[in-house]
């Protein structure tokens, strides 16, 4: 490529980056909707090319996500975990830190919930009060373990200069391997033929109100909305949130104003891990009731990266983004059961949506970090 061609490519990138960085909130919402629509259209073309009826496939996408009370409950169940995990990612991204390890923190939080409840259950009475205490203890164990597990890459980045992307990815694999060993050996249920822990006691469950789905509780939804509101307030109305964002994107200004950037990195990662651990606790208590091989619990932490990007790392925006992904997950389950469309094709369509919705905001973040879009940025 000649120097003139390189210059034109750079000019195009600068223009595109400038448009993305200067986009208003409404324009970014429009970009997200357009990206999602385009991804679904391309997905339907691929479905048609594979010899399946795209109209029937599109209909099943809608029916499987919002077509009945059962489908809505299933969508909300998935959305609850996606929103919590998405918030965990957004906290770090807003502070300029890449926490790719939400999946690992989610897994560590979930197993901590199960172990703490199983250990403590024989010491407490049966019934509602004992169950409430166990839920509180299990949730506390999850947020502590998730926070500590996220603090580790934060310390390595702040005081050792380690790249948090690499360390958090590695910690994901460590969490999957170690928890997999816990589930298959010391905490394996000897009465089960499957690789899983003992079930949580019967009094450890959230009440099923409004929806009859045993794996969805309005309490879980309320907790999720409360967490979203809390994180939004912390990040926009408190000095801690202001220092987080400033230290992430304007380190010199943060240092000038007396912010300890290293301590803020560790605090940010810990805060992010606490929410990820809470997501693990809600997953275990509301949905699963035990813990199984962590490689099969779902990629909530990984999908949360796309959810956060789709929401432009805005805590409130994570709610509709999480519902979109919850709906896709619910529709995927429905289509697998009610059609002959191969599961690989369904995953491919969902993957297209993830790719298309993530790329615009990812490009925006890269532009902000690399200076694309002009020297005045």
């Amino acid at each position: 490529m000649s120097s003139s061609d390189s210059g034109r490519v750079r000019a195009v990138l600068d223009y595109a980056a400038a448009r993305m960085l200067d986009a208003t909130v409404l324009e970014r919402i429009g970009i997200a909707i357009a990206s999602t629509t385009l991804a679904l259209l391309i997905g339907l073309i691929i479905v048609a090319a594979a010899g399946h009826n795209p109209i029937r496939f599109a209909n099943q996408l809608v029916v499987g996500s919002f077509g009945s009370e059962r489908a809505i409950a299933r969508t909300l169940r998935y959305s609850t975990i996606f929103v919590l995990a998405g918030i965990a990612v957004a906290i770090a991204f807003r502070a300029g830190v890449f926490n790719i390890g939400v999946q690992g923190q989610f897994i560590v939080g979930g197993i901590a919930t199960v172990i703490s409840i199983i250990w403590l259950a024989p010491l407490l009475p049966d019934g509602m009060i004992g169950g409430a205490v166990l839920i509180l203890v299990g949730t506390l164990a999850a947020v502590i373990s998730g926070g500590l597990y996220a603090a580790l890459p934060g310390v390595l980045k702040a005081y050792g200069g380690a790249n948090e992307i690499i360390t958090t990815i590695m910690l994901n694999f460590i969490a999957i391997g170690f928890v997999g060993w816990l589930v298959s050996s010391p905490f394996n249920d000897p009465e089960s033929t499957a690789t899983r822990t003992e079930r949580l006691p019967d009094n450890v469950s959230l009440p099923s109100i409004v929806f009859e789905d045993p794996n969805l509780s309005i309490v879980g939804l309320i907790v999720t909305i409360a967490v979203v509101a809390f994180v939004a307030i912390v990040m926009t109305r408190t000095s801690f949130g202001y220092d987080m964002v400033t230290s992430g994107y304007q380190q010199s200004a943060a240092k000038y104003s007396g912010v300890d950037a290293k301590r803020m990195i560790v605090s940010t990662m810990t805060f992010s891990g606490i929410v990820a651990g809470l997501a693990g606790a809600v997953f275990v208590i509301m949905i699963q009731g035990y813990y199984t091989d962590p490689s099969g619990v779902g990629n909530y932490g990984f999908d949360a990266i796309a959810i956060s990007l789709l929401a432009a790392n805005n805590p409130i925006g994570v709610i509709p983004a999480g519902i979109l992904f919850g709906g896709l997950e619910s529709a995927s389950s429905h289509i697998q059961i009610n059609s002959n469309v191969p599961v690989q094709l369904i995953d491919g369509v969902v993957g297209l949506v993830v790719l298309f919705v993530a790329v615009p905001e990812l490009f925006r973040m890269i532009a902000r970090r690399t200076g694309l879009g002009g020297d005045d940025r």
Side-chain angles (χ1 to χ4, degrees), residues 26-43:
L26 287 178
E27 286 175 335
R28 288 163 68 182
I29 292 174
I31 291 172
I33 294 174
S35 301
T36 305
T37 304
L38 182 60
L40 288 174
L41 287 175
I42 293 176

Side-chain angles (χ1 to χ4, degrees), residues 1-348:
M1 182 181 292
S2 66
S3 58
S4 60
D5 291 337
S6 299
R8 281 195 290 271
V9 170
R10 172 72 191 205
V12 170
L13 287 175
D14 277 338
Y15 175 77
R19 288 290 298 123
M20 288 298 296
L21 291 171
D22 292 336
T24 64
V25 173
L26 287 178
E27 286 175 335
R28 288 163 68 182
I29 292 174
I31 291 172
I33 294 174
S35 301
T36 305
T37 304
L38 182 60
L40 288 174
L41 287 175
I42 293 176
L44 292 179
I45 292 173
I46 294 174
V47 168
H52 301 278
N53 187 332
I55 297 177
R56 176 177 167 79
F57 184 85
N59 179 63
Q60 288 182 330
L61 272 178
V62 176
V63 171
S65 52
F66 300 104
S68 65
E69 181 179 332
R70 184 179 179 184
I72 293 173
R74 190 170 56 230
T75 293
L76 291 177
R77 183 203 314 160
Y78 289 125
S79 300
T80 300
I81 308 302
F82 278 132
V83 169
L84 286 173
I87 284 285
V89 175
I91 290 171
F93 279 8
R94 280 289 291 269
V97 183
F98 290 89
N99 182 9
I100 313 298
V102 166
Q103 180 74 10
Q105 295 140 27
F106 168 82
I107 290 171
V108 169
I111 193 65
T113 299
V114 171
I115 292 174
S116 59
I117 290 177
I118 290 176
W119 274 348
L120 191 61
L123 305 177
L124 294 176
D126 296 334
M128 185 180 299
I129 295 178
V133 172
L134 289 173
I135 290 174
L136 289 175
V137 170
T139 303
L140 186 61
V143 298
I144 291 175
S145 57
L148 291 176
Y149 204 63
L152 179 58
V155 171
L156 292 174
K157 174 181 175 62
Y159 298 99
N163 187 307
E164 79 274 23
I165 296 176
I166 295 175
T167 54
T168 50
I169 289 175
M170 291 174 65
L171 286 169
N172 282 335
F173 290 110
I174 293 173
I176 292 172
F178 182 66
V179 174
W181 171 76
L182 288 177
V183 170
S184 62
S185 294
F187 292 98
N188 182 249
D189 182 1
E191 297 181 358
S192 173
T193 57
T195 303
R196 66 170 176 83
T197 65
E198 297 177 29
R199 287 186 176 278
L200 300 181
D202 292 338
N203 59 341
V204 179
S205 62
L206 299 178
S208 295
I209 308 173
V210 181
F211 296 97
E212 296 181 357
D213 190 323
N215 296 321
L216 173 67
S217 172
I218 199 72
V219 176
L221 293 175
I222 292 173
V223 168
T224 300
I225 294 172
V227 170
V228 170
F230 175 75
V231 171
I233 291 172
V234 167
M235 298 187 75
T236 59
R237 302 291 186 212
T238 67
S239 58
F240 175 74
Y242 177 80
D243 291 345
M244 278 176 54
V245 177
T246 305
S247 63
Y249 290 103
Q250 296 177 324
Q251 292 185 5
S252 56
K255 186 177 180 180
Y256 182 76
S257 60
V259 176
D260 186 334
K262 293 181 178 179
R263 188 177 63 184
M264 192 52 63
I265 289 173
V266 179
S267 300
T268 299
M269 288 295 290
T270 304
F271 190 16
S272 176
I274 285 174
V275 179
L278 176 63
V282 173
F283 174 74
V284 167
I285 295 172
M286 188 179 79
I287 298 178
Q288 203 164 44
Y290 55 86
Y291 219 85
T292 185
D293 184 352
S295 61
V297 299
N299 295 323
Y300 294 103
F302 297 122
D303 289 341
I305 298 171
I307 291 169
S308 179
L309 292 174
L310 176 60
N313 303 321
N314 184 306
I316 303 299
V318 167
I319 292 179
I323 292 175
L324 170 65
F325 276 71
L328 288 173
E329 189 76 18
S330 174
S332 175
S333 302
H334 174 81
I335 294 172
Q336 286 181 40
I337 297 172
N338 296 283
S339 77
N340 60 349
V341 178
V343 63
Q344 294 84 356
L345 191 54
I346 300 170
D347 291 341

Side-chain angles (χ1 to χ4, degrees), residues 350-376:
V350 174
L352 270 178
V353 176
V354 173
L355 180 66
F356 273 59
V357 301
V359 164
E361 190 61 27
L362 188 61
F363 177 67
R364 188 171 180 273
M365 293 177 66
I366 292 173
R368 188 192 292 272
R369 279 182 164 250
T370 59
L372 279 174
D375 296 333
D376 55 336

